Amino acid sequence: MITAIASRVEVMKWMESFVQEKMTEFLKSVEDSWQPADLLPDARMENFFEEIKNLQERARDLSYDLLAVLVGDTITEEALPTYESWLMSIKDVPSNEDSPWMKWNRAWTAEENRHGDLLNKYLYLTGRINMREMEASTQYLIADGFDLQTDNDPYRAFVYTSFQETATNLSHRRVAQIAKKQGDGMLAKLCGYVASDEARHAKAYKAFVGKIFEADPNEMMLAFEDMMRKKIVMPAHYMRELGVDMGKTFGHFTDAAQRINVYTALDYTDILRDLVKEWKLETVSGLNDAGERARDYLVALPDRLKRVAERMRAPQLEYKFRWID
Ligand SMILES: [Fe+2]
Ligand SMILES: [Fe+2]
C-alpha cells in the first residue's frame, strides 16, 4: 500500500504491476480467443447456402423486441472507437506506449472489437434487418459520441466501466436465454460467447477499483458517490435513426429491453448492490466526514432505488424501428 494521501497520478502509476497481472488473468491472448468466423457459416464451404437457409429459418421466429434489442446492442458494440478514445483520454493514467495501462486499453479494445463484428454479421445473415438503416445508426453514434459524466477522472471512469461491463454481461446473457427459448440456438451461443468476455472485463475493472480503494479510499468513495448521484448512463444514449429526432430511438430501445426483461431498472439496482458488496464498502476505513457520508449514501442506495424500480411498469408502447422491415 502507498501512503495515505496520494495523488491520482501516483495511484495510477503504483497500479501498473497490478494491471499487468490482471491483464494476464482477465484478458485472453489472440491465440486463445474465439473469432467471429468460428461461430458463423463459412462461405468457402459447399454447404454454406444450406447453413444460411437454416440460420434464416431459426431467425424467422425471433420476436420483434428481441431483434430490436439485438440491433441496439450491436450498434452499441460497434461504437467501439468512441470507447477506446474515451479510455485513452482519461487523465492521470500513464500514457507511454508500453505502460500496462496502455497495453490494457489496446488489448481490451481488441477483444471488444470481435463483438460488433460477430453480431453484425449474424444480423446481416438473418435477412430480417434493414442493414443500411442499422449502419447509419452506427455512423451517427460514433459521430455523436457520448457524455458519461466521468470528467476524464480515472476513479469515476473505472466505476463506470465496472458498472457497464457488468450490465453488458447481463444483457447479452439474457438475450442468449431468450434466443434459446425462441428456438435460435445459434444466436444463443453467439451471445453467450460475447457475455463471457464481458464477464471477464467486469471482473478486471472491479479489481481495479478495489485496488484504488486500498490506496485512496476517501477519494474513491467520493468518486463512486458522484457517479451514482449523476446516474450511470448507457454508452449508446445518443443512439438515433435516420430521420428521427435524437432521444427517441434510445428511449424505444430501452423500453424494448425492459419489456422483454433484458435490462431493467431492477437490474440497475442489483448491479449497484453487487458493487457495494464487491468493494466491501461497509468496511472501508480511512474516510473523512464527506467520505463517511458518501458511504452511507451508497450503502442505502440499492434499497432506495429498488423501491422506485418496483413501482415502475414495463413500457407497453410499440414502436417501429427503421432497422427492422
Ligand atoms: Fe462488448
Ligand atoms: Fe464490454
Side-chain angles (χ1 to χ4, degrees):
M1 198 178 309
I2 54 178
T3 49
I5 304 168
S7 68
R8 278 160 159 78
V9 178
E10 287 169 317
V11 173
M12 290 297 112
K13 183 78 197 150
W14 167 75
M15 283 177 64
E16 281 191 319
S17 58
F18 182 79
V19 170
Q20 181 65 47
E21 199 184 292
K22 292 296 144 188
M23 190 153 39
T24 37
E25 191 177 340
F26 292 126
L27 290 182
K28 287 193 174 169
S29 66
V30 177
E31 293 78 13
D32 291 332
S33 293
W34 58 264
Q35 298 300 334
D38 299 330
L39 304 166
L40 293 165
D42 184 341
R44 297 168 305 176
M45 294 298 168
E46 232 171 75
N47 63 353
F48 178 64
F49 291 104
E50 181 70 24
E51 286 201 32
I52 297 300
K53 214 178 106 219
N54 294 338
L55 184 153
Q56 296 201 341
E57 261 165 35
R58 286 189 300 264
R60 212 172 35 209
D61 296 327
L62 296 175
S63 70
Y64 190 90
D65 277 344
L66 183 67
L67 219 46
V69 167
L70 196 54
V71 173
D73 286 349
T74 305
I75 294 166
T76 308
E77 293 285 354
E78 292 211 288
L80 185 61
T82 308
Y83 317 140
E84 187 185 28
S85 54
W86 169 77
L87 269 179
M88 294 296 187
S89 73
I90 297 173
K91 280 185 303 208
D92 302 332
V93 177
S95 59
N96 48 307
E97 278 304 298
D98 38 326
S99 163
W101 282 109
M102 289 300 111
K103 283 193 211 158
W104 165 273
N105 287 353
R106 291 196 303 270
W108 173 86
T109 303
E111 277 204 3
E112 285 284 342
N113 189 55
R114 292 138 60 247
H115 299 170
D117 274 0
L118 173 64
L119 297 173
N120 180 308
K121 284 188 184 121
Y122 168 82
L123 285 171
Y124 170 57
L125 292 174
T126 63
R128 291 195 61 191
I129 305 300
N130 183 325
M131 291 303 290
R132 189 178 195 285
E133 293 288 341
M134 178 176 131
E135 287 155 356
S137 288
T138 301
Q139 188 175 354
Y140 264 140
L141 188 59
I142 297 173
D144 291 335
F146 59 10
D147 178 13
L148 306 179
Q149 299 191 290
T150 51
D151 306 329
N152 294 337
D153 167 31
Y155 294 6
R156 286 172 176 78
F158 297 130
V159 168
Y160 184 85
T161 51
S162 298
F163 197 104
Q164 202 50 47
E165 295 282 6
T166 309
T168 43
N169 165 260
L170 186 74
S171 57
H172 286 304
R173 211 155 19 96
R174 295 256 176 83
V175 170
Q177 286 161 357
I178 301 169
K180 197 170 176 193
K181 259 189 226 150
Q182 295 183 357
D184 193 337
M186 181 179 186
L187 175 59
K189 192 173 163 192
L190 308 189
C191 292
Y193 272 67
V194 174
S196 70
D197 280 5
E198 311 289 15
R200 285 186 287 104
H201 301 165
K203 276 188 194 149
Y205 284 119
K206 286 179 198 171
F208 293 173
V209 172
K211 196 71 183 164
I212 301 171
F213 263 117
E214 280 179 30
D216 197 1
N218 204 65
E219 281 296 306
M220 190 59 241
M221 192 70 80
L222 294 176
F224 187 15
E225 178 202 18
D226 184 58
M227 286 308 292
M228 296 320 299
R229 284 196 190 273
K230 289 170 176 166
K231 293 193 182 70
I232 305 286
V233 295
M234 283 203 224
H237 59 140
Y238 291 155
M239 184 186 285
R240 56 175 156 149
E241 296 158 277
L242 278 172
V244 180
D245 289 343
M246 195 190 274
K248 270 194 177 165
T249 302
F250 182 71
H252 288 298
F253 163 60
T254 56
D255 283 357
Q258 288 208 48
R259 239 185 337 259
I260 58 171
N261 206 27
V262 162
Y263 187 72
T264 68
L266 271 174
D267 293 321
Y268 184 96
T269 309
D270 287 344
I271 293 170
L272 171 61
R273 195 185 301 281
D274 172 65
L275 296 179
V276 167
K277 210 172 128 199
E278 169 80 27
W279 296 325
K280 303 185 181 68
L281 249 53
E282 287 175 271
T283 61
V284 171
S285 57
L287 301 178
N288 65 18
D289 286 352
E292 288 290 353
R293 279 196 301 276
R295 184 226 307 268
D296 291 346
Y297 169 80
L298 288 164
V299 169
L301 192 57
D303 282 341
R304 254 181 58 203
L305 290 180
K306 192 172 181 216
R307 285 194 291 274
V308 180
E310 278 167 348
R311 284 198 297 271
M312 279 165 70
R313 280 210 209 108
Q316 288 312 314
L317 180 69
E318 299 279 331
Y319 173 76
K320 227 188 144 322
F321 293 94
R322 296 178 62 108
W323 309 322
I324 303 166
D325 292 326

